[in-house]
Amino acid sequence: RGDAGQLAARAESLSRGIESVSDALRDALYLDVAEGELTVEAATRQAEALRWLQRVSRHIWRIAHYLAI
C-alpha cells in the first residue's frame, strides 16, 4: 500500500506539472504558426498530442490514487 501511495503522489505531481506548462506550450505553438515557423497542421498535431498527454496523465493519477486506497 505504501508503494501505491508513493506512485499516486508521483503521478499527481507529474500530472500537475504537465497541466502547469500546457497553456504556455500551446501558446508557443500558435505563436510559431503566426510567425510562419510551423504549419497549422503541425501545430494542430502537436496541440492534440499535448491534450492527449494531459488526459492520460490525469487518468494515470486517478488509477494510482484508487489503487492506493
Side-chain angles (χ1 to χ4, degrees):
R1 189 169 182 171
D3 289 342
Q6 290 174 349
L7 175 64
R10 182 69 176 138
E12 177 182 7
S13 175
L14 291 170
S15 180
R16 289 186 187 272
I18 291 167
E19 279 295 321
S20 71
V21 299
S22 63
D23 287 340
L25 290 172
R26 201 169 6 266
D27 290 346
L29 282 174
Y30 299 140
L31 182 61
D32 286 348
V33 170
E35 294 175 346
E37 296 178 20
L38 200 59
T39 66
V40 172
E41 294 81 13
T44 300
R45 282 193 305 273
Q46 290 182 29
E48 288 173 355
L50 180 58
R51 282 190 292 273
W52 177 86
L53 184 59
Q54 288 175 288
R55 188 171 53 252
V56 169
S57 70
R58 281 191 303 267
H59 286 304
I60 291 171
W61 169 20
R62 290 175 58 204
I63 290 166
H65 168 75
Y66 285 110
L67 287 173
I69 58 174

